[in-house]
């Protein structure tokens, strides 16, 4: 059976996640508008910095649990990298949808809202309820795998 557009873009996000250099979680993100890919991102160290796979995980060494103290990390989240990559290339992402392998965190949620992203499709959980509140209050459409698989969009 031919995959829906939602499944197609989520599968691409899974492939993008394979480029992650994070030792704790591999995350991929794809920004899409009108069924066209605008930018992709994966979680990993900022440009020019040594990757966590080489230097070790700062968060692991400090015993920081997932969902807390995001600023204590060498890396950026996949959603952040997709938004930054679009800006770096001069690509307008207003009105786009974000396909992400995991639920965004609150920091990413605020960036998503301010970037004008209208919908977020995600499959994996992340321990950050504030992120969902931020996006819901701002009117961002949130869809989990359970919901988008019901939405056939051939």
């Amino acid at each position: 059976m031919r995959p829906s557009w939602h499944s197609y873009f989520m599968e691409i996000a899974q492939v993008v996640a394979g480029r992650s250099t994070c030792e704790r979680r591999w995350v991929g993100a794809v920004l899409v508008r009108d069924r066209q890919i605008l930018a992709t991102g994966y979680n990993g160290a900022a440009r020019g910095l040594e990757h966590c796979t080489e230097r070790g995980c700062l968060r692991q060494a400090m015993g920081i649990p997932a969902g807390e103290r995001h600023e204590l990390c060498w890396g950026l989240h996949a959603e952040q990298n997709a938004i930054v990559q679009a800006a770096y290339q001069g690509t307008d992402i207003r009105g786009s949808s974000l396909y992400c392998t995991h639920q965004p965190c609150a920091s990413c949620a605020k960036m998503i809202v301010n970037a004008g992203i209208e919908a977020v499709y995600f499959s994996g959980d992340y321990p950050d309820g504030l992120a969902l509140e931020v996006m819901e209050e701002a009117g961002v459409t949130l869809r989990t795998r359970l919901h988008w698989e019901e939405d056939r969009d051939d």
Side-chain angles (χ1 to χ4, degrees):
M1 183 164 102
R2 187 174 184 209
S4 70
W5 284 104
H6 299 306
S7 294
Y8 172 73
F9 290 123
M10 188 56 71
E11 287 176 31
I12 293 171
Q14 291 286 352
V15 171
V16 172
R19 293 282 307 156
S20 173
T21 59
C22 178
E23 293 188 335
R24 296 176 91 177
R25 185 184 315 257
W26 288 13
V27 181
V30 179
L31 283 166
V32 175
R33 187 177 52 239
D34 299 326
R35 297 182 179 166
Q36 299 295 311
I37 295 172
L38 304 174
T40 64
Y42 54 86
N43 55 330
R47 187 184 310 264
L49 299 182
E50 189 175 27
H51 296 298
C52 299
T53 51
E54 298 161 355
R55 76 174 342 138
C57 177
L58 176 64
R59 295 173 57 78
Q60 192 73 28
M62 296 176 76
I64 301 169
E68 298 179 16
R69 305 293 313 269
H70 298 120
E71 75 280 7
L72 296 175
C73 181
W74 293 105
L76 286 88
H77 287 183
E79 305 92 321
Q80 294 168 339
N81 269 326
I83 292 168
V84 169
Q85 184 64 27
Y88 188 80
Q89 298 297 332
T91 303
D92 181 6
I93 59 172
R94 286 174 293 185
S96 66
S97 295
L98 176 75
Y99 290 83
C100 195
T101 58
H102 293 74
Q103 175 204 306
C105 72
S107 295
C108 290
K110 291 180 271 188
M111 289 181 71
I112 287 165
V113 168
N114 277 2
I117 296 168
E118 294 181 353
V120 176
Y121 297 85
F122 62 94
S123 56
D125 291 337
Y126 193 74
D128 193 337
L130 178 59
L132 299 175
E133 289 182 46
V134 165
M135 291 185 286
E136 286 172 0
E137 183 174 329
V140 175
T141 299
L142 300 174
R143 304 296 274 169
T144 63
R145 178 173 294 277
L146 173 67
H147 295 111
W148 87 67
E149 286 182 349
E150 295 171 354
D151 298 340
R152 287 298 297 179
D153 62 346
D154 301 319

